[in-house]
């Protein structure tokens, strides 16, 4: 892509987002606040559909060179968008997520009857990662900002490893920048919605999978370390509280900081973004495999400790909030 073409794509994405705002306004695709929300005024939901638009623009220009991935992305984004408008049965969403991950594995040439056990593990991990990424979409800027912190290191690595068409990463980066303009602000114009957070998770998972398949280096999973620790340990916390994991909540560490500690949402999102970017940059500076694994373990342990300390300190504030709202959990 030359600079003129990039500018044209960027402008098309901006126009597409503005058109979606008109459509969402007309059909009342609005996120209205409730006691579990982190916002206080109605905001357009589903602005993250721009990620799907960006990938489709790329696919049209690149002669649809990743057809199974594109089909999976479209399916998972479509069911997520429908869920943004009207809540769908959990089993239906899970079925589409599973089918979409299977299509991704097909694109990666990882489907094999002989290695069915490996396919089962990858399928479970893929569906889990996509949903964990979605769980972390709860305040202004966090999905857009954090995704930049993942995509930029992937783009940097692609300059030397060429694990995917470079224009693919550029297209999703431009889409994310457009979304950030409307979302990464104190008064967001739109939220990503499930279509955005799930769609972006699917794209990032595909990029990471291609990178790992080519290099056989699983330390690149550290590109998702901050989200992984917060989402993973929050699930453990909720299991200890005997909660239904399918119900909405405000127990993630970033939610405690934004809602109970009253840190500005944009500041919390920026903190998560910068922390992940620094962690990823540190990994890129290490070349020795043994050192990379040591770094991996150190980061995971350090993030876990920080999470536990913050939750121990600030979760009582959330309990007080729940009591005030008349909730028992």
């Amino acid at each position: 892509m030359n600079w003129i073409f990039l500018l044209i794509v960027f402008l098309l994405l901006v126009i597409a987002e503005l058109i979606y705002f008109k459509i969402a306004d007309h059909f009342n695709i609005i996120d209205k606040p409730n006691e579990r929300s982190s916002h206080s005024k109605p905001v357009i939901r589903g602005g993250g559909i721009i990620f799907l638009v960006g990938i489709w623009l790329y696919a049209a220009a690149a002669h649809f060179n990743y057809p199974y991935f594109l089909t999976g992305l479209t399916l998972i984004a479509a069911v997520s968008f429908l869920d943004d408008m009207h809540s769908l049965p959990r089993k239906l969403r899970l079925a589409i997520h599973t089918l979409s991950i299977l299509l991704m594995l097909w694109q990666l040439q990882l489907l094999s009857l002989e290695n069915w056990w490996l396919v089962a593990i990858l399928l479970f991990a893929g569906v889990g990662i996509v949903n964990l990424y979605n769980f972390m979409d709860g305040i202004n800027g966090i999905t857009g900002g954090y995704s930049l912190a993942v995509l930029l290191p992937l783009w940097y690595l692609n300059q030397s490893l060429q694990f995917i068409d470079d224009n693919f990463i550029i297209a999703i980066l431009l889409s994310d920048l457009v979304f950030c303009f409307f979302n990464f602000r104190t008064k967001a114009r739109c939220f990503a919605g499930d279509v955005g957070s799930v769609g972006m998770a699917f794209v990032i998972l595909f990029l990471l999978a291609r990178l790992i398949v080519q290099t056989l280096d699983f330390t690149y999973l550290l590109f998702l370390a901050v989200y992984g620790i917060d989402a993973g340990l929050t699930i453990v916390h909720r299991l200890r509280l005997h909660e239904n994991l399918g119900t909405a909540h405000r127990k993630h560490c970033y939610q405690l900081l934004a809602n109970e500690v009253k840190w500005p949402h944009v500041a919390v999102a920026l903190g998560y973004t910068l922390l992940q970017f620094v962690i990823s940059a540190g990994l890129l500076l290490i070349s020795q495999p043994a050192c990379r694994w040591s770094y991996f373990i150190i980061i995971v342990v350090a993030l876990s400790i920080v999470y536990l300390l913050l939750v121990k300190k600030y979760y009582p504030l959330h309990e007080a909030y729940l009591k005030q709202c008349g909730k028992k959990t």
Side-chain angles (χ1 to χ4, degrees), residues 64-85:
F64 303 97
N65 54 347
Y66 304 117
Y68 305 120
F69 158 79
L70 185 63
T71 303
L73 173 63
T74 304
L75 282 173
I76 203 169
V79 75
S80 299
F81 184 65
L82 291 174
D83 193 52
D84 281 331
M85 293 191 293

Side-chain angles (χ1 to χ4, degrees), residues 290-312:
C291 295
R292 291 169 71 88
W293 277 111
S294 297
Y295 180 74
F296 185 99
I297 295 171
I298 290 171
I299 292 298
V300 169
V301 171
L303 288 176
S304 300
I305 292 173
V306 171
Y307 171 92
L308 293 172
L309 290 175
L310 289 174
V311 170
K312 181 178 180 180

Side-chain angles (χ1 to χ4, degrees), residues 219-295:
T219 62
Y220 287 121
L221 289 173
L222 210 57
F223 285 176
L224 296 177
V226 178
Y227 260 24
I229 294 300
D230 193 332
L233 291 184
T234 298
I235 287 177
V236 174
H237 183 198
R238 297 190 70 202
L239 287 173
R240 291 188 60 191
L241 294 173
H242 305 290
E243 290 188 3
N244 180 354
L245 298 181
T247 59
H249 68 97
R250 299 199 330 181
K251 293 180 173 65
H252 286 289
C253 187
Y254 77 89
Q255 290 173 316
L256 296 179
L257 295 175
N259 299 317
E260 272 63 56
V261 188
K262 304 301 181 183
W263 287 4
H265 290 200
V266 172
V268 175
L270 183 61
Y272 269 61
T273 298
L274 293 177
L275 179 57
Q276 182 58 65
F277 190 82
V278 169
I279 290 171
S280 299
L283 182 66
L284 295 178
L285 292 173
I286 302 172
S287 58
Q288 296 297 323
C291 295
R292 291 169 71 88
W293 277 111
S294 297
Y295 180 74

Side-chain angles (χ1 to χ4, degrees), residues 66 158 162-169 206-207 210 214:
Y66 304 117
N158 199 52
Q162 290 297 304
F163 58 89
I164 199 166
D165 182 2
D166 206 45
N167 294 326
F168 181 104
I169 304 180
F206 179 62
L207 291 171
R210 284 187 67 95
Q214 179 170 313

Side-chain angles (χ1 to χ4, degrees), residues 110-131:
L110 292 175
L111 283 184
S112 169
L113 290 177
E114 293 180 359
N115 297 318
W116 61 267
W117 56 272
L118 178 60
V119 173
I121 292 173
L122 293 175
L123 184 60
F124 178 80
V127 172
I129 289 172
V130 165
N131 281 277

